[in-house]
Amino acid sequence: MHQHTRIEEQIDLPFLESLRISFQSLKIRFGRSIITTAGITLGIAFLVSVWTNNEIDLALQESGRSSTIANLEETSEQGISTKDIWLIIMSLIVCVVGIANSMLMAVTERFREIGTMKCLGALDGFVVRLFLLESGFQGFAGALIGALIGTLGAVALGLKNYGLDLFFYFPLLPATPEDAPMRIGVLLLILFGCILGMLLAVIGSSFPAWRAAKLPPAEAMRTEV
Amino acid sequence: MPDIVVKTEDVVKEYRMGSNVLRALDGINIEIERGEYISLMGPSGSGKSTLFNMIGALDRPTEGQVYIDGQNMSNLSQRQIAAFRCHRVGYIFQSYNLLNVRTAHGNVTLPMIFAGIPDKQRNEKAEKLLDKVGLGDRMYHLPDELSGGQRQRVAIARALANDPSIILADEPTANLDTITGREIIDLIKQLNIEQGVTVISATHDLKMLDVSDRIVDIRDGLVERIRNRDEIEIEIGEVGGHE
């Protein structure tokens, strides 16, 4: 029984403990996690497929085997069309908004849980760290799957357009920088997709998690979604 | 000299709703002694839950001071407030507030995780506490697999995890049927007697009357009156007669 007057300071939890709690939480709310992760997967798959598709078209066009390409109008000197740049930018926006929305919803519906954890002695920083870890895992897993799906989709389309020639001229590595800064190659594109998905998920969840963690518990628990 | 565990001085709480200001507490002064069982009573909207939140450091007063164990709560750092919630107080809520992603056992261990208690020790203690509240056979069930009364028992076990000196219970029986509610009240009273825990409960459940040492009636954000046990006992007869 604590009868002494001095109120001590709350301790920081070891990182491993946070890791364990966030894994547990992801595992138990698996169904819900899958839906949030699917949001990330779709966003990244869309972006990566559009971009990879573009790289494939350009690589094949350069190889001189692009007789089947239909959409080469407006091709600039760098070999990337305005339409494609637009498409990539649009898919990036869709991806950012989609992921931010998924994460925002996923955190907001857990305000009560955040309030409860604070009642039990959780520090604000711990709550935020928990959400960053969870969203980081989700972001990375979702984005990796999305990047792979996107690449496969683009490859399938490439196969349809170019047949097996695709594999001889597949843009796995970046084109020379002076060619075009946006042609980073499929490998880097997958890596970029993963990092982007993870970053967006972490940023998308950190803001609401931080806001909820700062609220007095009574207010966080009152929040209705 | 009485050992005062909770003291409030002119506590005011205002909520801003657009351009309107709602004054939920209008200057509350109470003193609660260690080991007491206090019921804060009053109709919905009287301010009793708001006062409960102030005492439990779950919300900050707009004006006035709350002292726990002689310590002015408004002078505490974030870390001290977290430690206070973790070690000094056990909370029990009307809607249980269990974490649905953790089993009964996982819910009880959580405050001990925050307190830095080692794995083995906290697991043993959680088992002991769940046994004590009569849930020894349902330890590894998720809250969704438990009845209302069982969930409230988990919440009680969780509230006791770090041996708090105060139990704060906000309408702990409001979502339960009469018999289950009675069992929960008896369990809280038992802890009050056996462990000397101070119990502060916001309620409008008349069953709480006969276990309380004092009843603080709250109305319109003010203390309307404070009744002692002997005064209460007379009224219980009347209440019983009406039931």
Side-chain angles (χ1 to χ4, degrees):
Chain A
M1 200 86 32
H2 294 264
Q3 306 246 336
H4 41 268
T5 352
R6 169 111 186 100
I7 292 176
E8 54 287 346
E9 298 224 323
Q10 182 63 307
I11 53 160
D12 277 314
L13 279 186
F15 184 72
L16 269 180
E17 200 72 75
S18 318
L19 208 60
R20 190 156 69 167
I21 295 179
S22 56
F23 257 127
Q24 243 174 6
S25 172
L26 278 175
K27 199 173 78 185
I28 294 193
R29 55 173 84 233
F30 188 71
R32 183 66 184 87
S33 307
I34 288 283
I35 295 172
T36 312
T37 310
I40 301 167
T41 302
L42 289 175
I44 297 293
F46 181 44
L47 174 70
V48 170
S49 69
V50 169
W51 202 324
T52 306
N53 191 34
N54 185 264
E55 296 226 7
I56 290 175
D57 281 350
L58 291 172
L60 270 288
Q61 178 198 345
E62 275 170 8
S63 74
R65 304 199 175 237
S66 56
S67 53
T68 50
I69 302 174
N71 60 344
L72 289 180
E73 75 278 15
E74 290 181 63
T75 303
S76 69
E77 279 180 17
Q78 277 79 34
I80 197 154
S81 75
T82 328
K83 196 183 89 187
D84 288 335
I85 290 177
W86 264 111
L87 205 56
I88 291 172
I89 291 174
M90 285 310 292
S91 59
L92 197 62
I93 293 172
V94 169
C95 168
V96 169
V97 174
I99 293 177
N101 182 48
S102 295
M103 297 316 296
L104 203 69
M105 280 312 298
V107 179
T108 312
E109 69 190 15
R110 290 170 69 187
F111 266 34
R112 195 186 186 81
E113 186 182 328
I114 292 174
T116 306
M117 282 204 279
K118 284 190 68 175
C119 284
L120 304 179
L123 286 166
D124 298 0
F126 172 79
V127 173
V128 176
R129 193 206 284 172
L130 211 58
F131 277 86
L132 292 191
L133 281 171
E134 274 187 40
S135 57
F137 291 137
Q138 279 183 308
F140 185 76
L144 181 66
I145 298 168
L148 294 177
I149 292 176
T151 308
L152 285 178
V155 167
L157 192 65
L159 274 176
K160 180 178 158 276
N161 285 342
Y162 309 110
L164 289 175
D165 276 355
L166 173 73
F167 294 113
F168 293 106
Y169 303 98
F170 193 72
L172 200 61
L173 298 171
T176 41
E178 56 269 24
D179 274 357
M182 282 180 82
R183 294 178 60 188
I184 59 175
V186 173
L187 276 185
L188 273 184
L189 200 52
I190 292 176
L191 186 69
F192 171 75
C194 290
I195 293 172
L196 182 74
M198 195 162 90
L199 271 183
L200 288 176
V202 167
I203 294 169
S205 69
S206 61
F207 175 68
W210 179 80
R211 213 185 52 172
K214 287 280 160 215
L215 287 178
E219 215 170 303
M221 288 189 293
R222 252 199 316 269
T223 309
E224 297 283 337
V225 183
Chain B
M1 218 175 99
D3 183 6
I4 303 294
V5 63
V6 176
K7 183 182 172 190
T8 68
E9 263 180 17
D10 299 320
V11 168
V12 171
K13 179 67 181 177
E14 289 176 344
Y15 292 105
R16 225 162 260 285
M17 289 162 176
S19 55
N20 294 336
V21 174
L22 176 76
R23 209 169 167 89
L25 296 179
D26 199 8
I28 296 269
N29 291 291
I30 50 168
E31 287 186 347
I32 297 168
E33 287 177 35
R34 196 174 302 283
E36 264 194 309
Y37 192 123
I38 291 272
S39 287
L40 308 173
M41 293 200 91
S44 304
S46 58
K48 59 184 189 303
S49 288
T50 309
L51 178 60
F52 171 93
N53 289 339
M54 299 300 140
I55 296 173
L58 299 182
D59 211 344
R60 290 180 285 260
T62 314
E63 287 168 36
Q65 310 296 337
V66 177
Y67 296 88
I68 312 276
D69 285 332
Q71 185 103 28
N72 187 340
M73 297 306 283
S74 57
N75 293 340
L76 297 186
S77 67
Q78 282 303 316
R79 274 182 186 273
Q80 284 178 311
I81 289 184
F84 168 79
R85 293 183 192 131
C86 187
H87 295 276
R88 303 284 178 105
V89 188
Y91 304 90
I92 302 168
F93 298 97
Q94 174 181 347
S95 46
Y96 326 122
N97 283 13
L98 299 178
L99 298 191
N100 287 328
V101 294
R102 297 176 75 87
T103 60
H105 186 272
N107 267 282
V108 180
T109 52
L110 198 57
M112 293 188 269
I113 293 178
F114 293 142
I117 293 170
D119 233 351
K120 186 164 174 283
Q121 215 176 315
R122 67 181 184 234
N123 285 337
E124 283 171 5
K125 185 153 186 193
E127 284 168 17
K128 210 178 86 191
L129 286 170
L130 284 164
D131 246 342
K132 188 188 177 98
V133 298
L135 286 177
D137 56 338
R138 303 190 78 84
M139 271 183 215
Y140 298 100
H141 286 253
L142 288 169
D144 284 347
E145 298 159 356
L146 300 173
S147 70
Q150 289 170 332
R151 286 183 214 186
Q152 200 57 297
R153 284 167 188 275
V154 177
I156 293 173
R158 184 178 70 179
L160 293 172
N162 288 328
D163 299 318
S165 49
I166 305 170
I167 294 272
L168 276 168
D170 188 10
E171 308 264 9
T173 57
N175 285 354
L176 304 173
D177 63 72
T178 319
I179 295 167
T180 317
R182 180 82 242 177
E183 286 170 5
I184 293 295
I185 292 169
D186 290 343
L187 185 57
I188 298 175
K189 182 64 187 175
Q190 189 192 336
L191 299 168
N192 170 240
I193 294 170
E194 286 176 4
Q195 304 189 11
V197 191
T198 311
V199 176
I200 304 168
S201 175
T203 184
H204 49 223
D205 185 346
L206 294 174
K207 294 191 292 298
M208 282 276 191
L209 284 173
D210 59 345
V211 293
S212 305
D213 296 318
R214 284 195 296 160
I215 294 177
V216 180
D217 288 295
I218 311 276
R219 191 171 286 267
D220 300 327
L222 285 164
V223 175
E224 191 182 42
R225 58 177 171 167
I226 299 178
R227 290 174 285 170
N228 284 321
R229 182 160 189 87
D230 45 353
E231 300 167 60
I232 301 163
E233 271 165 7
I234 301 163
E235 289 173 33
I236 291 166
E238 294 170 19
V239 171
H242 291 304
E243 267 183 349

